[in-house]
Amino acid sequence: MTHLGAWRDFSRNLTIAGGDTRPIAGADITASAFKVAGGTPLLGRVLLPRDEEAGAPRVAVLGQEVWRRRLGADAGMVGRPV
C-alpha cells in the first residue's frame, strides 16, 4: 500500500497553564503523514482522518522534547488543552 502525507512547518507560541508562553517549531500535517513516517506515539494517539473534518476539535501531537522540557514529562497531559 502507498501513502501520501503533507506538512507545513511553522513557529507558534505554546501556552501552558500557569502562563508559560514560548515559541516552538512544529508542523501542520495530515493524518496520513504518520503512516508515511511510520511513527507511533509513546502516549496518546496520532492524528486520525476525522481530525481533518470541518468543525473537528483541534488536536496536537507533541514531540518528546517539547513534552519533556515544557510539560515536565507529565503523562497526564494526554487529552488536556495547551
Side-chain angles (χ1 to χ4, degrees), residues 36-48:
V36 173
T40 57
L42 297 173
L43 295 171
R45 64 173 178 87
V46 296
L47 298 177
L48 303 171

Side-chain angles (χ1 to χ4, degrees), residues 15-17 43 62 67 70-82:
T15 301
I16 307 298
L43 295 171
L62 302 175
W67 177 64
R70 299 287 302 278
L71 303 172
D74 179 3
M77 281 304 300
V78 174
R80 289 181 17 206
V82 292

Side-chain angles (χ1 to χ4, degrees), residues 3-82:
H3 300 285
L4 177 66
W7 78 91
R8 176 181 55 199
D9 295 334
F10 66 73
S11 177
R12 291 194 184 124
N13 288 331
L14 175 65
T15 301
I16 307 298
D20 179 20
T21 300
R22 286 180 275 157
I24 61 166
D28 290 318
I29 67 169
T30 59
S32 59
F34 285 95
K35 289 181 181 177
V36 173
T40 57
L42 297 173
L43 295 171
R45 64 173 178 87
V46 296
L47 298 177
L48 303 171
R50 70 174 182 245
D51 296 323
E52 298 177 354
E53 295 175 4
R58 296 178 72 179
V59 296
V61 177
L62 302 175
Q64 186 173 10
E65 183 176 339
V66 171
W67 177 64
R68 288 191 182 285
R69 289 184 183 206
R70 299 287 302 278
L71 303 172
D74 179 3
M77 281 304 300
V78 174
R80 289 181 17 206
V82 292

